[in-house]
Amino acid sequence: MLRFLLRRFFLALGTLLVLSVLVYFMVDLALDPLADLRQSTSPNKADLVARRVALLKLDEPWWVRYFDWLGGFVRGDLGMAWRTQQTVASQLQGAVTTSISLVLSATVLALMLGIMIGIVSALRQYTGFDYSITLVSFVLYSLPVFWVAVLLKQFMAIGMNDFLDNPTLNVPVTTVISAVFGLFWAGALGGSPRRKILVFAAATLITGGTWAFIVFSGWLDAPRLGFFGVGIIGFAFAVIITMAFAGLNNKRALYSALTTAAVGLGVYYGLQWLWFYVPADFWQIVLLLVSAIAVAMLIGWLWGGPDRGVSMRGAVIVALIIAVMTFVDRVLQVYPEYYNSSMIRGRPIATIGAQTPNLNADFWMANLDRFTHLLLPTVALVLISFAGYTRYQRGSMLEVLSQEYIRTARAKGLSERVVIVRHALRNALMPLASIIPVDLVAVIGGAVITETIFGWSGMGKLFIDSMQNSEIDPVMAYVMITGALAMTANLLADLLYAVLDPRIRVNA
Amino acid sequence: MNTNDDRPFEDSIRPDDLPGEGTVPPEDVRKDEAVPGVLPGTLPVEPGEPVLGDESGRGEGVGEAKEVEGLSQGQIVWRRFVRHKGAMAGLGVLLAIALFSFSAMGIGPIRGWWQYSDNALATHPMINNGAPTITLPTWLGGTAATLSFGDHPFGQDNIGTDNFAAVMKGVQTSLLVMLVLGLTALIVGVVVGALSGYYRGKLDTGLMRVTDLVITLPVIVLGAVLGKLLSAAPDKFGWSIETRIAVDAAMPLLLGILLGLVLWPSLARLVRAEFLGLREREFVDSARVAGASDWRIITKHILPNAVGVIIVNTTLLMSSAVVLETALSFLGFGISAPNVSLGNLISINQGAFQTRPWLFWWPGLFIILIALSVNFIGDGLRDAFDPRTKRIPSKREMDKALARIQSESATAEVGAR
């Protein structure tokens, strides 16, 4: 194992080195630092050119400059953006976290949505639902990310802000959207025509009704989930998750999920008090999350039974959902204040930057602010990579479902739920481990575009700006960081694969 | 036998996409079992009776086998492709777009039927504040009696240039870049994949390292560097006016070639996997025993067997190429003036979308239409080349066939008595 890791590490290092040589050569060839001076009409033009040539050592061959850069790089000096006279390290500060938060939130969301819809689509193969999902994912797949981002920025953001300013119920749009939701659920749940019609009617009415309630009750002026909102969501998920992963017949699993939901709800008011007296910060939230998981595992373990793992897993998922809901609820509580703050002035959906400058915010409002900024760029990235995941997951699920051991599982009388969740799902998820790193690289590429459009000062924008300013050092820093990220993701995927699939040995 | 295909698309997963050697190709139970006319386990077959499967089931000269009797592999693939509704729609739309744009704006020096040019300096008097003058006929919800173009069907920008001319020219550029890029990636990918798959060993390791190197960075990043090279080179190296004009004229071509040099690795990997499998087959051994050279084995024996994978993936590559080229032009690293590209158009008009939204919608619509049609064509090709693809009759057709068979066997029984 160690040998494998070491070998991979040195291989990655070598690849990075070769990459740096080649990219440096190409970027050096492509950039033209003298472009602005060439157009210049100033009398001391020759002098300016000479000074810049001396500054950037343009009279030396490219490999001298490369070794200069490399020498600095291995000693931790990332170099200098000569035009702005900023060190690359100071430029990167904040940019890396900004980009990673964007890329990660988009990837995680796309992955979850894509997996779920892909699996349902595979289970309903050759139905209208399957065809519709396929068609939609084809269209999403063909969408250029920059076009979607511009669309969201120029049209969607303004529409949403206008709507939040003065919420009214647009009857035709609401009807159509509710009907789409109805069709989606009817198709996803399937069954006899009678059942489909029932599901369709119920889903349509619930969607439309909920939306009408949200608009008319003034919820949007002061949105929050509250004790009852968190409670309903928690218990609903406790039942749904047990149904999906353990079956409602497994009483211990059901009870441990429900107990977890009850405990989570029990501490709801306690947490409100805690956050009232103790100002929250990042590590406190992490600590709370970890303790929530620990309590959930304990609950699952205490309910026990022959299949402890299942109860514990279900309880942990429920605990995570309740924790997130409580967090969201607390963040939403500052919404009215945020909405009316002098920096926001009633236009909460942001289109520029990663945060509102000069916003005098506590922990919660900073989170809300980050969220309103993340919303549109993340949607743009999710829409596109989600389609790929859906197609991939559908294909891999279909492949697994056609194998002999699934037939055996069915033949020995296992319920369809057990066959799908316990036998098929796990194997169908495995191939994903090998496309996530590839897709991550694509999302990083997509982030270059979204960051540029939404004016995020992330790494992608840094790359584009530096390319336009003919500054090679920031470009090289971007290339090295992205390359290292991609290789780490690849290595992690390989290890994950080895853990998941006993047929693969990393020592080989 | 009804020859229409009810499934517009197939799974977009290739067996080769899945990791691990010897992965079982994706296949689904129903696809295999649902041979038209035979419903497994539903029809009781009594001994002595003619087996129903003979009419339309497996075996030589019956059912599916009869349908392809005497056809070459190419003809079978072609027939399947033609049957694929999605692919045919995609091909139709793509051809229509190509024909429309090339006939409207002409090719090179030859002028097309459209009265205005795409020149950014060619301004025209504003009509209706630059709004699109295209009107739909009344039966489509429009105002005119028939479809009418008017003077500026896709509107004008703020200085009055004709958006229709620009969009049509942009479509030409995008199509050209797509084709050249596809061709370049095809050549490089196939050569690299074939060499490393056929010769294996050190050559393979080396070539695969190169592939790994290229895919480490996002294509948009490498593309931006190469695009910048293309746009900065004339000034940087002080090229003469003649060279500049030549480079400008050939810019879509050059960009296509450069981007092709970025996009080939996925194809190379698939071709390599295919070659690794095929080189162990008996027909390759017998060719070698018969004294065929490596060149002959690669080109005459292995390559034709890998052509399905190659064609399908090149097509899918081309659809992502359209999106890549427009994205690069949008960022300012792709096609630049005096050339026009769809991404370029969106980029330069970005500030005016609130007041002139049509400058955004029309180029975007054509990008999506082109990418989507190419995707559908690729999907159809995949189905056509995949021998496992079978026509799945719809539920209604199955019910009908079942009822027919049952009524026939009922009348046969009555007749026998």
Side-chain angles (χ1 to χ4, degrees):
Chain A
M1 185 68 174
L2 193 68
R3 232 185 91 215
F4 167 80
L5 278 180
L6 276 178
R7 219 191 63 186
R8 283 295 300 258
F9 178 74
F10 283 113
L11 205 65
L13 225 52
T15 315
L16 265 183
L17 192 71
V18 177
L19 190 74
S20 74
V21 180
L22 292 177
V23 174
Y24 197 98
F25 171 68
M26 280 199 310
V27 175
D28 189 72
L29 198 65
L31 293 184
D32 184 14
L34 300 177
D36 55 327
L37 291 182
R38 238 176 243 124
Q39 317 292 330
S40 148
T41 50
S42 74
N44 58 344
K45 184 175 168 183
D47 184 39
L48 287 175
V49 170
R51 222 183 296 162
R52 190 167 292 171
V53 166
L55 171 74
L56 300 174
K57 296 186 187 164
L58 292 181
D59 44 353
E60 312 245 16
W62 70 272
W63 45 266
V64 174
R65 288 194 293 276
Y66 170 74
F67 282 115
D68 260 7
W69 171 83
L70 187 70
F73 185 80
V74 293
R75 277 184 275 124
D77 174 18
L78 294 176
M80 178 85 111
W82 58 268
R83 212 182 279 270
T84 51
Q85 286 300 317
Q86 275 182 305
T87 57
V88 174
S90 74
Q91 280 185 318
L92 279 177
Q93 208 160 41
V96 179
T97 39
T98 305
S99 287
I100 288 184
S101 71
L102 177 63
V103 167
L104 274 191
S105 56
T107 307
V108 169
L109 265 179
L111 204 58
M112 285 192 331
L113 273 176
I115 288 177
M116 276 195 277
I117 293 185
I119 286 174
V120 176
S121 185
L123 294 179
R124 304 267 171 272
Q125 200 192 7
Y126 302 145
T127 61
F129 178 80
D130 186 30
Y131 290 145
S132 320
I133 292 293
T134 312
L135 182 66
V136 169
S137 62
F138 258 72
V139 173
L140 290 181
Y141 207 69
S142 313
L143 286 181
V145 64
F146 71 94
W147 192 78
V148 176
V150 172
L151 179 77
L152 288 173
K153 182 181 168 179
Q154 300 281 352
F155 299 98
M156 191 78 177
I158 288 165
M160 272 171 87
N161 278 327
D162 285 348
F163 172 77
L164 287 175
D165 192 34
N166 178 27
T168 46
L169 191 72
N170 186 336
V171 178
V173 173
T174 313
T175 317
V176 170
I177 291 177
S178 311
V180 169
F181 268 89
L183 283 175
F184 176 85
W185 285 110
L189 295 177
S192 60
R194 202 184 124 81
R195 188 175 122 145
K196 272 187 190 163
I197 291 170
L198 273 178
V199 171
F200 171 73
T204 310
L205 285 178
I206 290 174
T207 316
T210 315
W211 187 239
F213 174 78
I214 285 177
V215 170
F216 286 127
S217 67
W219 188 83
L220 284 169
D221 295 333
R224 58 175 302 177
L225 298 169
F227 182 74
F228 289 103
V230 174
I232 291 170
I233 294 174
F235 282 109
F237 269 99
V239 174
I240 291 170
I241 281 163
T242 318
M243 211 150 73
F245 291 103
L248 288 179
N249 289 331
N250 187 342
K251 287 287 179 249
R252 287 173 193 277
L254 181 61
Y255 293 152
S256 57
L258 289 176
T259 317
T260 315
V263 170
L265 205 56
V267 296
Y268 175 81
Y269 280 113
L271 284 173
Q272 307 300 318
W273 281 107
L274 174 77
W275 285 327
F276 185 73
Y277 288 111
V278 186
D281 60 21
F282 177 74
W283 291 109
Q284 186 204 9
I285 298 296
V286 171
L287 192 72
L288 284 172
L289 192 67
V290 170
S291 48
I293 292 171
V295 170
M297 287 175 88
L298 184 70
I299 292 172
W301 190 79
L302 286 178
W303 274 107
D307 210 356
R308 255 191 187 129
V310 171
S311 311
M312 285 166 72
R313 235 175 290 144
V316 167
I317 298 176
V318 173
L320 283 177
I321 288 168
I322 293 221
V324 170
M325 286 304 140
T326 314
F327 184 81
V328 167
D329 174 68
R330 184 64 188 82
V331 168
L332 283 180
Q333 283 177 28
V334 297
Y335 179 79
E337 198 192 327
Y338 178 74
Y339 186 81
N340 293 319
S341 99
S342 61
M343 298 311 298
I344 305 300
R345 293 199 306 271
R347 312 295 287 175
I349 307 296
T351 53
I352 289 177
Q355 64 218 357
T356 314
N358 306 326
L359 182 73
N360 189 9
D362 62 352
F363 176 75
W364 302 108
M365 206 188 276
N367 266 303
L368 183 62
D369 188 49
R370 196 168 303 146
F371 174 75
T372 55
H373 283 85
L374 260 176
L375 184 67
L376 294 179
T378 313
V379 168
L381 284 180
V382 165
L383 274 182
I384 286 147
S385 58
F386 144 79
Y389 283 132
T390 309
R391 306 292 306 142
Y392 198 83
Q393 188 57 43
R394 177 179 177 272
S396 104
M397 187 74 183
L398 283 178
E399 188 213 335
V400 168
L401 281 178
S402 72
Q403 287 185 6
E404 300 286 314
Y405 75 94
I406 296 291
R407 192 177 301 196
T408 313
R410 286 205 175 109
K412 68 187 182 190
L414 294 180
S415 72
E416 193 61 16
R417 186 191 62 73
V418 176
V419 172
I420 289 164
V421 174
R422 286 226 166 162
H423 290 66
L425 183 60
R426 295 174 181 205
N427 285 315
L429 286 178
M430 267 200 304
L432 271 182
S434 67
I435 67 149
I436 289 174
V438 179
D439 196 79
L440 201 67
V441 175
V443 175
I444 292 174
V448 172
I449 298 166
T450 31
E451 277 173 12
T452 313
I453 291 170
F454 286 103
W456 281 51
S457 45
M459 290 205 301
K461 189 163 186 306
L462 180 66
F463 169 75
I464 295 293
D465 288 349
S466 311
M467 284 294 290
Q468 272 154 358
N469 281 337
S470 302
E471 297 165 323
I472 197 166
D473 286 358
V475 172
M476 286 310 293
Y478 175 84
V479 166
M480 297 314 274
I481 293 176
T482 313
L485 263 180
M487 278 170 206
T488 318
N490 253 317
L491 182 65
L492 280 182
D494 280 0
L495 288 178
L496 191 68
Y497 217 79
V499 173
L500 290 177
D501 191 344
R503 287 170 301 184
I504 292 174
R505 300 223 177 91
V506 288
N507 287 331
Chain B
M1 189 175 272
N2 187 352
T3 53
N4 73 26
D5 190 335
D6 285 290
R7 295 167 315 110
F9 346 85
E10 244 310 296
D11 328 332
S12 82
I13 182 176
R14 292 284 319 161
D16 325 68
D17 287 342
L18 292 171
E21 280 179 348
T23 319
V24 182
E27 210 172 341
D28 52 283
V29 181
R30 286 178 56 187
K31 226 197 266 179
D32 247 9
E33 290 182 349
V35 177
V38 183
L39 293 174
T42 49
L43 290 177
V45 179
E46 283 169 24
E49 251 184 8
V51 182
L52 286 163
D54 270 2
E55 272 177 23
S56 46
R58 298 178 174 131
E60 232 168 275
V62 288
E64 195 128 2
K66 184 164 192 160
E67 212 181 312
V68 296
E69 208 168 57
L71 295 178
S72 74
Q73 183 69 31
Q75 285 166 318
I76 296 172
V77 168
W78 176 247
R79 280 177 58 158
R80 284 174 175 214
F81 179 65
V82 172
R83 253 193 229 158
H84 198 285
K85 279 183 200 156
M88 283 297 110
L91 197 63
V93 171
L94 190 67
L95 284 180
I97 290 176
L99 207 67
F100 195 64
S101 74
F102 277 101
S103 70
M105 298 310 296
I107 304 167
I110 311 162
R111 289 217 50 181
W113 51 263
W114 186 242
Q115 66 232 39
Y116 301 121
S117 93
D118 62 285
N119 192 330
L121 300 174
T123 56
H124 309 288
M126 279 289 182
I127 294 176
N128 197 8
N129 203 20
T133 55
I134 190 167
T135 44
L136 293 173
T138 27
W139 53 274
L140 274 173
T143 48
T146 53
L147 178 82
S148 82
F149 267 19
D151 249 14
H152 301 290
F154 293 178
Q156 288 166 286
D157 70 5
N158 48 358
I159 56 165
T161 52
D162 183 39
N163 194 28
F164 179 81
V167 170
M168 284 302 123
K169 198 72 186 179
V171 167
Q172 286 190 9
T173 314
S174 288
L175 288 176
L176 189 62
V177 172
M178 179 181 93
L179 278 181
V180 174
L181 192 158
L183 208 64
T184 316
L186 174 80
I187 294 169
V188 180
V190 168
V191 169
V192 169
L195 288 180
S196 67
Y198 185 78
Y199 288 108
R200 301 190 299 186
K202 285 223 174 80
L203 185 67
D204 180 27
T205 320
L207 286 175
M208 282 301 113
R209 286 272 174 282
V210 176
T211 347
D212 286 344
L213 211 61
V214 179
I215 56 166
T216 309
L217 288 181
V219 281
I220 195 113
V221 169
L222 283 177
V225 174
L226 292 175
K228 175 87 183 170
L229 177 66
L230 197 61
S231 62
D235 272 333
K236 189 172 180 180
F237 303 114
W239 289 349
S240 65
I241 295 290
E242 291 81 34
T243 336
R244 276 164 201 251
I245 291 171
V247 168
D248 272 343
M251 192 185 259
L253 213 73
L254 292 172
L255 189 73
I257 293 173
L258 285 179
L259 294 184
L261 295 178
V262 175
L263 277 180
W264 58 268
S266 59
L267 188 65
R269 288 184 155 192
L270 292 170
V271 172
R272 171 181 174 265
E274 200 76 355
F275 265 65
L276 279 177
L278 287 170
R279 77 186 294 285
E280 307 295 335
R281 299 274 287 273
E282 285 86 352
F283 64 87
V284 174
D285 284 343
S286 55
R288 195 171 292 130
V289 169
S293 64
D294 284 352
W295 170 252
R296 194 181 163 81
I297 293 177
I298 290 176
T299 52
K300 288 270 172 188
H301 296 273
I302 304 186
L303 210 52
N305 281 298
V307 81
V309 170
I310 294 170
I311 290 183
V312 170
N313 285 288
T314 310
T315 318
L316 294 179
L317 206 75
M318 279 157 74
S319 80
S320 54
V322 178
V323 177
L324 176 68
E325 179 268 316
T326 49
L328 278 178
S329 304
F330 174 81
L331 289 173
F333 296 116
I335 303 285
S336 51
N339 288 292
V340 185
S341 135
L342 294 175
N344 190 13
L345 280 178
I346 292 182
S347 174
I348 45 179
N349 293 315
Q350 218 186 135
F353 291 151
Q354 279 307 317
T355 46
R356 301 168 192 277
W358 51 87
L359 295 176
F360 172 76
W361 294 117
W362 287 109
L365 178 74
F366 277 95
I367 297 174
I368 296 172
L369 275 180
I370 294 173
L372 196 60
S373 343
V374 179
N375 257 329
F376 270 107
I377 295 170
D379 196 55
L381 283 171
R382 189 209 312 276
D383 275 6
F385 277 108
D386 189 347
R388 292 189 308 269
T389 310
K390 292 215 170 86
R391 206 169 57 77
I392 306 295
S394 69
K395 176 103 176 36
R396 226 180 48 227
E397 280 178 335
M398 299 270 264
D399 289 346
K400 247 198 240 161
L402 185 64
R404 201 192 63 230
I405 292 168
Q406 271 168 351
S407 72
E408 269 171 17
S409 64
T411 46
E413 259 174 49
V414 171
R417 277 171 204 156

